[in-house]
Amino acid sequence: MSIKVLYFASLQDRVGRQADEFVWDGPISAGALWRRLNPDLAWPDNMLIAINMDYASSDAALNDGDEVAFFPPVTGG
């Protein structure tokens, strides 16, 4: 299974990169993906997750070819 991972805004600075390509055999959730790719970082407060551009929870299961985005809360005016 291959998953494209994107980091946005302040999370790019925190992880030190804009994207990852993750290859994995077996089931994995979005939260487990974060922990596997960033084992030295704590789970960011209020971090949002999108899978294929739809908001998702950290326990959402991932599928081959998914695009996962991690980003901080956004505000607008």
Side-chain angles (χ1 to χ4, degrees), residues 29-43:
S29 67
L33 174 66
W34 169 270
R35 289 186 293 277
R36 181 158 290 276
L37 292 173
N38 303 290
D40 298 330
L41 296 177
W43 184 265

Side-chain angles (χ1 to χ4, degrees), residues 10-66:
S10 61
L11 288 180
Q12 288 183 358
D13 295 333
R14 194 163 176 185
V15 301
R17 56 196 182 276
Q18 296 178 344
D20 281 309
E21 189 72 29
F22 182 74
V23 178
W24 182 255
D25 290 327
I28 191 166
S29 67
L33 174 66
W34 169 270
R35 289 186 293 277
R36 181 158 290 276
L37 292 173
N38 303 290
D40 298 330
L41 296 177
W43 184 265
D45 291 337
N46 301 319
M47 180 171 67
L48 299 173
I49 302 168
I51 300 173
N52 301 324
M53 297 190 196
D54 290 324
Y55 286 110
S57 66
S58 62
D59 61 351
L62 301 175
N63 298 299
D64 186 35
D66 280 348

